[in-house]
Amino acid sequence: MSVDRFSEAQQALQRGDKILARKLVSQVLYSDPRNEQAWLLMARLVDSEAQMIECLERALRINRDNVSTQNALKIL
């Protein structure tokens, strides 16, 4: 079920509907707070740099070996 919501969120983002995408990703994270990919997608949907950093840090707590996420945090 959360896989469907995640896919729907990605599709919504591709259509430019960030509000729907954020709602769907929030539902995924509510049911699975350790979903690394959902945190990475949420980082693209939040409004502030501070929120983006928080999302990326949460993703790194799940998978600290993700080099792309480490680099994104360094850039921020």
Side-chain angles (χ1 to χ4, degrees):
M1 184 182 218
S2 67
V3 172
D4 293 337
R5 281 193 208 125
F6 184 78
S7 295
E8 288 176 34
Q10 289 178 309
Q11 292 169 6
L13 180 59
Q14 288 175 346
R15 291 190 309 269
D17 190 346
K18 287 179 82 172
I19 294 171
L20 177 60
R22 190 178 315 161
K23 178 181 176 184
L24 292 165
V25 173
S26 293
Q27 292 172 0
V28 171
L29 289 170
Y30 180 78
S31 63
D32 182 9
R34 294 198 43 83
N35 186 321
E36 177 187 8
Q37 295 305 310
W39 282 114
L40 294 173
L41 183 55
M42 184 62 91
R44 297 173 58 193
L45 299 169
V46 294
D47 296 324
S48 72
E49 188 174 299
Q51 290 172 315
M52 184 183 288
I53 290 169
E54 182 178 337
C55 292
L56 294 174
E57 286 176 342
R58 286 179 182 245
L60 273 181
R61 278 185 240 145
I62 297 164
N63 178 9
R64 70 177 106 148
D65 296 326
N66 187 324
V67 176
S68 297
T69 305
Q70 292 171 3
N71 289 337
L73 272 173
K74 287 177 187 175
I75 290 169
L76 291 172

